[in-house]
Amino acid sequence: MVALSKFAILGLLGSLVHATLQVVPGGTWTATNTGRHVQAHGGGVLKVDSTYYWVGEDKTNGSAFQNINCYSSSNLVEWKYEGALLSRTSSGDLGPDRVIERPKVVYNKATKKYVLWMHIDSSNYGEAKAGVATGDTPCGKFEYKSSVQPLGFESRDQGVFVDDDNKGYLLTEDRKNGLRIDLLSDDYLTVNSSTYLWADSIEAPAMIKKNGVYFMFGSKLTGWDPNDNVYSTATKISGPWSAWKSFADSGSKTYTSQTNFILPFGDGAVYMGDRWVSSNLMRSTYVWLPLTLSGTTASMKNAVNWVPDVSSGSMTSGPGENIYEGESATLSGGAKSISCSTCSGSNAAGYIGGTDAGVLTFSSVQSNVAARTTIRIKYLNGDSSQRFASVSVNGGTAQTIAFVPASGDPNSSSLNVDLKAGVNTVKISGVNGGWGPDIDRLMVPVS
Ligand SMILES: *[C@@H]1O[C@H](CO)[C@@H](O)[C@H](O)[C@H]1NC(C)=O
Ligand SMILES: *[C@@H]1O[C@H](CO)[C@@H](O)[C@H](O)[C@H]1NC(C)=O
Ligand SMILES: *[C@@H]1O[C@H](CO)[C@@H](O)[C@H](O)[C@H]1NC(C)=O
């Protein structure tokens, strides 16, 4: 009895110590094995056993269809690129200059197939169709089937919802009539019948059911620009559905994001939104935040960072942080302090990497505990493409971290590392002779 509870307490402490990897909404999220910003825009996340699969749009080269990418993670923070479910073909629905948006994968228990629905369109959005593909694994190659205007209506932004009784529904924006819920066939491959229609102009649909209440989330129609997103609730999927209400701080434009998916998590859910940068879509970032669902109310607050604990389902605030200024670290090679009016201390460390192989070394980074954790690197990158840096902690294996363009105020890039208790060294250098970002400061969890 005594031994058991002691074991339980040690287990709890163990999980507290290690569960400090953070989601940094709006930051650069570098995939672990590509060294590049995750390209999974407008996507969705599917949990299979203990693995999360994130399927979304590759916007590396702008808006036209390139790939539907898949990444995997065991903790919702560190994402590994697994490959593309679908890639551009020489002609047809997946051909050059096509629009393919908002891919969503669900599992069909009866057919044992993964089913992918997506918006299929011509470059001027004139076709307005939904397309479907199937796969045997959540993250492998998918076989594209066909596209359709569901029940004869236009379909642009879309999502998929699977109910407790395994019935599948297509959520589809019909510009002429409103937002629809359509019942899918038992194999989820065709649209069976109309379930509900809101005669409101709402796009970016995402649905979740919590304690018997259906929540439908979506945004108003303001193109790539964000607005105050809204939700509606019902106790039956066929309605009646409530009036639309906002769930984030009024006027925040959903913390500058647009809904793409709502992931069930613990007692609540994770809101997953896109912060689109329409002028350069590849640098669009992901705004993921804890969403509270209580009765028929959904609410969400902004956060600079937060910690998802996949084992307990808790979503907690980011830890206290120590701050280390770039210009105060050891600058070697060509690296030097530069003035930067928007940076803390009005300076940053510049000329990292490049022709004179500038290196920045932070040699007194403190942590109270040994932990795998997330350091936020506050940086600037005035280019229109990503910059990269090689980062090594305590002399260990270097990892490549990406930095999407950021001018004006410094942005954050997540660096996930093992810190030891006590003093750590973080060394930042260039990659293959390229210039790294200008580094304003490191924000390092205290514990
Ligand atoms: C990145 O910086 C720009 C200003 O350059 C700002 O508008 C944007 O909100 C920042 N993003 C984040 C995630 O802080
Ligand atoms: C983007 O364009 C470059 C240059 O044409 C090409 O090498 C690369 O494969 C493209 N990437 C994608 C994802 O389409
Ligand atoms: C689809 O509609 C037909 C009638 O048109 C019905 O018999 C069938 O059960 C429906 N499928 C589902 C999944 O409800």
Side-chain angles (χ1 to χ4, degrees):
M1 191 64 198
V2 171
L4 264 181
S5 54
K6 197 170 168 187
F7 181 80
I9 289 166
L10 284 175
L12 181 62
L13 287 175
S15 67
L16 284 178
V17 165
H18 294 291
T20 58
L21 286 166
Q22 304 160 25
V23 172
V24 179
T28 304
W29 295 1
T30 307
T32 56
N33 56 340
T34 66
R36 286 174 155 66
H37 183 50
V38 169
Q39 293 296 317
H41 308 278
V45 171
L46 179 71
K47 192 180 184 199
V48 180
D49 300 325
S50 56
T51 303
Y52 295 92
Y53 294 99
W54 179 7
V55 171
E57 305 157 28
D58 184 349
K59 296 294 194 199
T60 302
N61 292 333
S63 64
F65 174 60
Q66 295 143 64
N67 298 287
I68 294 177
N69 283 337
C70 185
Y71 296 79
S72 68
S73 174
S74 60
N75 55 31
L76 283 181
V77 173
E78 298 174 286
W79 292 95
K80 177 181 178 223
Y81 180 61
E82 297 284 354
L85 270 49
L86 295 173
S87 298
R88 183 168 49 210
T89 54
S90 55
S91 63
D93 276 0
L94 314 186
D97 298 317
R98 298 287 294 178
V99 168
I100 299 192
E101 292 174 344
R102 298 191 174 266
K104 301 288 181 287
V105 176
V106 290
Y107 180 63
N108 188 294
K109 286 182 184 156
T111 62
K112 298 188 165 51
K113 292 276 187 187
Y114 291 88
V115 179
L116 164 66
W117 279 92
M118 67 214 110
H119 172 197
I120 295 281
D121 226 320
S122 50
S123 58
N124 67 358
Y125 288 82
E127 288 182 15
K129 295 194 292 188
V132 65
T134 58
D136 293 324
T137 58
C139 219
K141 289 286 173 208
F142 274 55
E143 184 192 342
Y144 184 74
K145 304 272 188 197
S146 58
S147 60
V148 65
Q149 283 203 333
L151 307 172
F153 298 109
E154 290 185 3
S155 181
R156 290 192 171 81
D157 279 2
Q158 56 104 60
V160 186
F161 174 73
V162 174
D163 208 341
D164 304 329
D165 60 5
N166 296 322
K167 283 197 162 47
Y169 296 88
L170 184 69
L171 320 172
T172 144
E173 193 246 333
D174 165 7
R175 191 62 53 95
K176 288 207 175 79
N177 299 292
L179 181 63
R180 295 177 177 278
I181 304 173
D182 289 348
L183 176 67
L184 294 171
S185 55
D186 287 336
D187 60 9
Y188 303 165
L189 299 182
T190 59
V191 178
N192 187 295
S193 49
S194 173
T195 301
Y196 192 76
L197 167 68
W198 285 266
D200 300 304
S201 296
I202 302 287
E203 62 180 9
M207 195 187 285
I208 187 174
K209 186 183 191 180
K210 195 80 197 174
N211 298 327
V213 178
Y214 296 87
F215 290 79
M216 176 73 127
F217 293 82
S219 81
K220 295 160 205 159
L221 311 189
T222 52
W224 296 106
D225 295 334
N227 55 61
D228 283 350
N229 287 195
V230 288
Y231 74 102
S232 171
T233 60
T235 50
K236 284 204 298 196
I237 196 163
S238 56
W241 285 83
S242 75
W244 297 96
K245 291 168 279 200
S246 58
F247 54 95
D249 288 341
S250 174
S252 73
K253 301 186 176 178
T254 328
Y255 315 117
T256 317
S257 71
Q258 182 182 36
T259 301
N260 64 38
F261 194 72
I262 307 292
L263 178 73
F265 195 85
D267 291 335
V270 180
Y271 162 88
M272 299 182 165
D274 294 293
R275 183 173 290 169
W276 298 111
V277 180
S278 60
S279 58
N280 190 358
L281 285 166
M282 72 84 189
R283 60 174 281 198
S284 303
T285 56
Y286 311 100
V287 176
W288 291 5
L289 288 165
L291 181 68
T292 304
L293 302 171
S294 167
T296 57
T297 302
S299 60
M300 183 168 93
K301 289 289 170 194
N302 201 5
V304 168
N305 55 354
W306 60 278
V307 177
D309 184 337
V310 296
S311 53
S312 68
S314 72
M315 298 182 272
T316 49
S317 305
E321 294 170 320
N322 287 318
I323 300 174
Y324 301 92
E325 294 290 341
E327 66 273 18
S328 306
T330 305
L331 299 139
S332 55
K336 52 190 172 204
S337 178
I338 57 167
S339 77
C340 163
S341 59
T342 56
C343 294
S344 83
S346 299
N347 287 284
Y351 298 90
I352 294 165
T355 38
D356 293 322
V359 175
L360 183 61
T361 307
F362 296 85
S363 46
S364 54
V365 171
Q366 293 281 339
S367 177
N368 291 346
V369 292
R372 186 152 186 86
T373 193
T374 303
I375 294 176
R376 290 188 296 130
I377 306 178
K378 301 286 279 184
Y379 73 93
L380 287 170
N381 167 11
D383 295 350
S384 59
S385 56
Q386 296 176 67
R387 289 194 187 188
F388 305 98
S390 173
V391 182
S392 163
V393 174
N394 298 325
T397 310
Q399 56 176 314
T400 299
I401 298 296
F403 301 84
V404 297
S407 51
D409 292 329
N411 286 80
S412 291
S413 180
S414 294
L415 168 65
N416 302 314
V417 291
D418 291 313
L419 292 184
K420 61 186 186 192
V423 178
N424 297 267
T425 299
V426 177
K427 185 179 159 192
I428 304 180
S429 49
V431 174
N432 296 333
W435 291 109
D438 296 334
I439 295 192
D440 175 23
R441 55 197 158 134
L442 301 188
M443 315 289 283
V444 183
V446 174
S447 61

